[in-house]
Amino acid sequence: MKGRVLIVAGSDSGGGAGIQADIKAVSALGAYAATAIAALTAQNTLGVHGVLAIDPAFVALQMKVVLEDIGADAVKIGMLANAAVIDAVAGEYEAQGGNVPLVVDPVMIAKSGHFLLEPDAVLTLRKRLLPLAWIVTPNLPEAEALTDVPIRDLNDMRQAAALLLSFGPKAVLLKGGHLESDRLYDLLLTEDGETVFEGSRVHTPHTHGTGCTLSSAIAAGLAQGLNTHDAVARARSYVETAILTAPGLGHGHGPLNHLHTVREFP
């Protein structure tokens, strides 16, 4: 086991996204996962049936005790629910030195369409967390909410990613899965230039938790010493196989096969 990742995110009772997906992804890639739970959801493959935010001070306390004892080689941020939690998380990260890569997945909307971030918290996320981020990993609706840039094609993605980069993160991975195309484009933008990762769309309903899984896989790579490009490339390959081998559970948007890297026990 190499690399320690502290995950700050919400819980998905269905196990396909959120903290549950994060722990599976980090573990499947050989790193150690610790957590600070920022919200609880009552959720399955058919949708989100309830959300309960955790007290901001208690979220920060979870981070504090883990970082002071176990430590972390990367921190991954997922669902934070509201502005108060975002501010507490950013403050605790800064208080602990802010000297490890921070992966920010700006979770706003569940696969079912349920809003997971209060609308008035979007600006707080942009101002408090993005300037601290090593990499931010929005999908297209999240990028549109953060930038007010309509995104319909790869050129729009470039414009939005450049604006996101101007908010302060070291890198932006803009995920193009919401484009109406059989070709998928994920755009990685840093101060040194861009990389366009291209692939074919997998036509399946079993994609619940792909964003959470991808960002945690990136965090694991950074914690293990990979550079940003290589961490993203490995994470994309891991997620692609997880989608292709999904177990087909539930009656809606089913979970991935997070543990496809794990060999059967004798």
Side-chain angles (χ1 to χ4, degrees), residues 12-256:
D12 171 7
S13 55
I19 285 282
Q20 287 82 350
D22 298 327
I23 294 171
K24 293 173 191 175
V26 168
S27 301
L29 291 171
Y32 178 81
T35 64
I37 298 178
L40 303 176
T41 69
Q43 187 173 172
N44 57 23
T45 68
L46 297 173
V48 178
H49 302 270
V51 177
L52 178 64
I54 304 300
D55 178 73
F58 192 71
V59 178
L61 180 60
Q62 293 175 76
M63 295 176 64
K64 175 182 172 64
V65 298
V66 170
L67 291 171
E68 289 181 345
D69 178 31
I70 297 170
D73 301 298
V75 175
K76 177 262 170 84
I77 303 295
M79 174 193 173
L80 297 184
N82 59 51
V85 174
I86 292 170
D87 191 59
V89 168
E92 190 59 38
Y93 177 77
E94 291 171 317
Q96 295 293 330
N99 57 356
V100 298
L102 179 69
V103 179
V104 176
D105 186 26
V107 176
M108 298 180 187
I109 305 173
K111 190 74 69 179
S112 61
H114 191 284
F115 282 89
L116 298 174
L117 180 69
E118 295 178 1
D120 64 353
V122 174
L123 184 60
T124 305
L125 191 154
R126 190 173 79 188
K127 288 186 173 182
R128 288 292 282 129
L129 279 179
L130 264 57
L132 302 175
W134 187 279
I135 184 170
V136 58
T137 63
N139 59 30
L140 298 191
E142 292 160 351
E144 289 178 336
L146 287 165
T147 65
D148 293 323
V149 174
I151 304 173
R152 301 295 178 265
D153 55 31
L154 184 57
N155 286 331
D156 292 343
M157 289 176 65
R158 289 189 169 100
Q159 181 184 352
L163 186 54
L164 286 166
L165 196 67
S166 75
F167 296 153
K170 290 182 173 61
V172 175
L173 178 68
L174 185 49
K175 301 170 294 189
H178 286 79
L179 290 180
E180 297 292 333
S181 170
D182 281 337
R183 299 300 294 171
L184 292 181
Y185 303 97
D186 291 341
L187 175 64
L188 175 64
L189 183 66
T190 70
E191 292 181 352
D192 297 325
E194 71 170 40
T195 301
V196 177
F197 296 93
E198 186 174 352
S200 298
R201 183 181 300 277
V202 179
H203 294 280
T204 174
H206 302 296
T207 56
H208 181 55
T210 51
C212 303
T213 302
L214 181 68
S215 56
S216 285
I218 293 170
L222 294 174
Q224 292 166 337
L226 297 181
N227 62 40
T228 302
H229 178 278
D230 290 350
V232 169
R234 187 183 74 165
R236 290 184 76 258
S237 177
Y238 163 76
V239 170
E240 181 180 24
T241 301
I243 293 172
L244 290 171
T245 60
L249 301 177
H251 297 88
H253 296 287
L256 314 183

Side-chain angles (χ1 to χ4, degrees), residues 24 27-29 238 257-265:
K24 293 173 191 175
S27 301
L29 291 171
Y238 163 76
N257 175 16
H258 293 94
L259 299 183
H260 63 81
T261 60
V262 179
R263 302 290 180 256
E264 288 187 26
F265 290 105

